């Protein structure tokens, strides 16, 4: 049997699990470890990006793949004997976009651990994806940021609200309690070996500046299965509670929109919003999570009040600022634009990048890379109503490039007239709306 046929067989088994889970939300699974076989792990190995940073063992994809069959057989033998133990995760701190000076931890695991975690991710997704609710959009197959943005915008457009709760969870990934997560997983998974390997993964620890830290909390951001584990935890802690408890006790319509730990709750009545905020804080505390009191806020977002001349608030979601404005025909409608912090942060990054590469590459290569960055920005932020903001960003970014390209030598490389001729010959990407919200 060819490798592709083995991969199709594994995919068929995962689809079977998903089908069983979708038919019966009480279904439990007690035999999962057979999915970890030579061909399924080989498939995971082929999916890994060989350009990514290596873990603490220093083994990269080329080195491991040089004797792939032998290495996979050795790994499976250790897993059968329960002798396989995930290594500690190497932690690096990366800057938070739009928050100068702030960082978030990123975990980099060993290559072998990444393969096992990738297969674990596939198994968990097969079980839980059919159970997740429509309000959840983060790190799910076939769903993304723009789906969440569109759904939220549609709800704001078609419904009269008084208040939006802009929820900020304090250090969500780092606060997930291992014991409580294990209890949640055991509701659906009865395969003890599978659970034991998950517990070993939790207890592998984090290596920071040659110091190993083992905690009872947190799943490292950057590992293949941390997004689905974070989603499972949020599903039971937030989504299930909101649908089965909160909605039943509210007088008006309330809707939740969640992208992993980025949460917005739309409330028809302000008093419902106050009650939900208080109850949400208590609910999160039961599971070891906390609201960021400084950033969680209740935002007035009433089209009716704006019609009467009362100013309404704004809130941020997935890099966009939502606000109420006037349509061409004078109607009050929800609109959105690039979040100001993201706007300024991206321009600073372009300036820092241009400064670092101005003497490293020739002019055409620098401009090619700049245009590639611009296309990525426009593809994400190119949504309905955001064309003006995109044009401003594009113009500012081009001026920043003009500044730094002029410093490639003691004499200026360009005057403005020459630069305009260069732009005509090599135009930057055009502003375009890639995602319509209506």
């Amino acid at each position: 049997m060819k490798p592709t046929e083995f991969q199709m067989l594994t995919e068929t088994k995962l689809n079977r699990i998903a089908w069983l889970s979708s038919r019966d939300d009480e279904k439990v699974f007690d035999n999962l470890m057979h999915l970890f076989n030579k061909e399924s792990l080989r498939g995971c190995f082929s999916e890994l990006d060989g350009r990514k940073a290596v873990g603490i063992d220093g083994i990269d994809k080329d080195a491991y793949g040089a004797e792939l069959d032998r290495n996979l057989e050795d790994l499976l033998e250790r897993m059968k004997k329960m002798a396989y133990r995930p290594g500690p995760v190497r932690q690096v701190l990366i800057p938070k976009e739009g928050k100068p000076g702030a960082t978030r931890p990123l975990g980099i695991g060993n290559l072998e651990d990444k393969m096992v975690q990738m297969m674990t991710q596939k198994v968990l997704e097969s079980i839980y994806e059919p159970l997740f609710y429509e309000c959840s959009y983060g790190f799910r197959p076939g769903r993304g940021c723009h789906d969440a943005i569109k759904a939220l915008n549609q709800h704001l457009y078609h419904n009269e609200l008084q208040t939006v709760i802009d929820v900020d969870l304090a250090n969500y990934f780092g606060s997930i309690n291992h014991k409580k997560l294990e209890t949640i997983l055991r509701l659906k998974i009865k395969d003890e070996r599978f659970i034991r390997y998950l517990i070993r993964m939790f207890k592998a620890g984090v290596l920071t500046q040659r110091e190993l830290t083992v905690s009872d909390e947190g799943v490292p951001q950057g590992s293949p299965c941390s997004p689905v584990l974070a989603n499972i935890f949020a599903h039971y802690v937030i989504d299930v509670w909101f649908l089965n408890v909160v909605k039943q006790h509210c007088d008006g319509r309330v809707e939740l929109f969640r992208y992993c730990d980025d949460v917005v709750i739309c409330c028809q009545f302000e008093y419902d919003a106050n009650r939900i905020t208080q109850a949400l804080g208590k609910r999160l505390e039961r599971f070891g999570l906390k609201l960021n009191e400084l950033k969680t806020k209740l935002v007035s977002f009433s089209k009716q009040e704006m019609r009467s001349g009362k100013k309404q608030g704004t809130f941020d979601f997935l890099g966009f600022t939502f606000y109420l404005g006037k349509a061409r025909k004078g109607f009050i409608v929800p609109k959105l634009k690039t979040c100001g912090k993201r706007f300024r942060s991206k321009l600073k990054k372009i300036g820092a990048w241009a400064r670092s590469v101005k003497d490293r590459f020739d002019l055409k290569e620098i401009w090619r890379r700049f245009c590639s960055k611009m296309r990525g920005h426009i593809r994400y932020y190119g949504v309905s109503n955001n064309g003006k903001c995109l044009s401003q960003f594009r113009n500012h970014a081009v001026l920043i490039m003009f500044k730094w390209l002029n410093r490639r030598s003691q004499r200026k490389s360009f005057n403005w007239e020459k630069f305009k001729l260069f732009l005509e010959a090599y135009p930057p990407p055009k502003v375009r709306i890639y995602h319509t919200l209506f």
Side-chain angles (χ1 to χ4, degrees), residues 351-411:
W353 172 81
R355 182 180 181 180
S356 68
V357 301
K358 65 182 177 68
D359 299 317
R360 291 173 54 194
F361 305 107
D362 63 43
L363 179 60
K364 289 184 180 179
E365 178 63 17
I366 293 173
W367 194 252
R368 185 190 68 78
R369 296 189 181 201
F370 165 71
C371 290
S372 177
K373 290 177 180 292
M374 280 299 304
R375 275 190 289 272
H377 182 90
I378 292 171
R379 280 185 177 277
Y380 183 82
Y381 290 99
V383 303
S384 305
N385 294 324
N386 199 35
K388 182 180 177 181
C389 213
L390 276 177
S391 295
Q392 290 175 344
F393 182 88
R394 179 180 179 269
N395 293 339
H396 281 300
V398 168
L399 288 175
I400 289 171
M401 292 303 295
F402 173 65
K403 168 187 172 180
W404 287 108
L405 291 177
N406 255 329
R407 300 188 180 187
R408 298 180 73 226
S409 63
Q410 291 183 349
R411 291 189 302 173

Side-chain angles (χ1 to χ4, degrees), residues 39 58 76 138 179 287 316 319 383 401:
E39 296 308 325
L76 286 168
K179 281 291 183 183
F287 291 87
D316 294 339
V383 303
M401 292 303 295

Side-chain angles (χ1 to χ4, degrees), residues 88-99:
V89 173
R90 179 166 66 87
Q91 187 184 83
V92 295
L93 300 176
I94 61 175
K96 278 190 175 181
E97 194 167 351
K99 299 179 181 178

